[in-house]
Amino acid sequence: MNSFLGSVFWLLVTLGVLVTFHEFGHYWVARRCGVKVLRFSVGFGKAIWSRIGKDGTEYQIAAIPLGGYVKMLDAREGEVDPADRGSEFTSKPVWQRIAIVAAGPAFNLIFAIAAFWAMYVVGMPDFAPLVTATPHSMAADAGVRDGDRVLAVDGKPVDTMGDTYEALGNALLGREPLPLRVRGSDGTERVVTLPLNRLPAGQDIGQYMDKLGIKLASPAPIAAVVRAGFPAASAGMQGGDRIVSINGQPVTDFEAFSRLVVAEATKSPALDIAVERQGKPLSFKVTARMESMEGQPPRWLIGVSPPQPEPMLRRYGPAAAVSAALTTTWDNTASIFNMIGKMVSGQASTKNLSGVIGIAQVANASASAGLGAFLRFLAAISLSLAVLNLLPIPVLDGGHLLYYLIELVKGSPLSERTMMAGQYVGLFLLLTLMGLAFYNDIHRSLFL
């Protein structure tokens, strides 16, 4: 499956699962409050399958698999039979209407906790937080060295590279000096302060990460795998050889080795590669060849693969996973509110917003990375839906909750005219946010 089709497929899976679960929350609580549900639809548009349940609800699967919806008996949408007025939505006490509306975000929250729990039970592959700093980057200038192991970010311990990136991303929103506690390759610990306050305003996290320059440390220059039939194997290189130099130029890590292969082969495909094998120096004449691998553009290759970074698998038993899932849910919720607050205050750029294109790309990448990664993605998106739906914007669940809270205070519902005006304002705000997110997605795709 190519990248485009994969992105579309996993976007449909993501929205289908999460939006349907959200709507099931409204449906389940509405039924328990005695509200008549006319239709529960998985998807939108024309029905491709439907049936009427014993409860009188029409259950259907529709042609457009982008979520779903629940249609309740509602006097605001037409005449209601006198016999059904007791099961009509607006006739219910305000606290029941609040419960029905809040159930959608609540079910997204429950789904997020369950997905994080499943992720920890299945296991989340990651890497040890061994980092390097790109030359002349902010991290390099601050004193981050090749092979440093990150122990804590702003005082909070981190165990994996994923935790490190997440903590750095949250800190970049505020652009304030950030202390990192690291352990060097010599075993000594020190604190490095990253001057994030020097970053320019108005850029997204991806651009800030590039300027920061912290990334997973490149593996040692060891030929972990020498592929049969490729130039390195034909010349006599073997798996486990430690690469010392290419054409006399020293090699410090595998990334430097890859760069040198391309640079030197561009001048001449014939390469002199010096290695160390079981403590003995050896030299090989290797003729690189231009080749395309796995659909990538052609490049100079000799058929050598690096050792994998130090792997880590975060896995817990079912009981321990509950605590881990709750903690992760809390931390992710705090991060979402932190981002919203900083964007509202102007500290963080709205360029950090992503729309369906960005979600589709991340969905495809996480699905390709394995079940644990995809569960983490589903949990994060479900949590974002829960929080965003609770924002007090009319047309969202949070806007309806705002109306009902005002009704509780004043003792009567808002007028139809006021609510309709609010709906128009909310629709304008929502479309503006969606348009901005879509623009950001297109801009990233074209220019980054």
Side-chain angles (χ1 to χ4, degrees), residues 415-439:
S415 68
E416 286 288 332
R417 183 176 180 179
T418 300
M419 287 193 288
M420 186 62 67
Q423 295 294 93
Y424 283 125
V425 171
L427 186 60
F428 171 77
L429 290 174
L430 190 60
L431 290 175
T432 300
L433 286 173
M434 291 173 63
L436 180 58
F438 186 73
Y439 169 80

Side-chain angles (χ1 to χ4, degrees), residues 334-388:
S335 296
I336 294 170
F337 278 110
N338 178 51
M339 175 175 279
I340 293 172
K342 290 188 181 301
M343 282 197 290
V344 170
S345 66
Q347 286 182 274
S349 172
T350 53
K351 292 179 181 178
N352 290 294
L353 287 172
S354 287
V356 292
I357 297 176
I359 293 172
Q361 292 169 339
V362 177
N364 186 47
S366 61
S368 301
L371 179 58
F374 189 61
L375 286 168
R376 182 188 183 100
F377 166 75
L378 284 178
I381 296 297
S382 187
L383 196 57
S384 296
L385 285 174
V387 172
L388 294 176

Side-chain angles (χ1 to χ4, degrees), residues 33 86 88-100 404 407-408:
C33 290
E88 184 264 330
F89 177 78
T90 61
S91 69
K92 296 298 178 182
V94 66
W95 69 267
Q96 287 190 345
R97 283 178 273 146
I98 288 174
I100 293 169
Y404 299 144
E407 181 179 340
L408 274 176

Side-chain angles (χ1 to χ4, degrees), residues 32-33 109 212 242 274 442:
R32 272 132 195 88
C33 290
L109 175 61
L212 183 58
R242 184 178 190 90
I442 295 296

Side-chain angles (χ1 to χ4, degrees), residues 401-416:
L401 291 174
L402 178 63
Y403 288 158
Y404 299 144
L405 289 175
I406 293 173
E407 181 179 340
L408 274 176
V409 172
K410 69 188 291 282
S412 60
L414 290 171
S415 68
E416 286 288 332

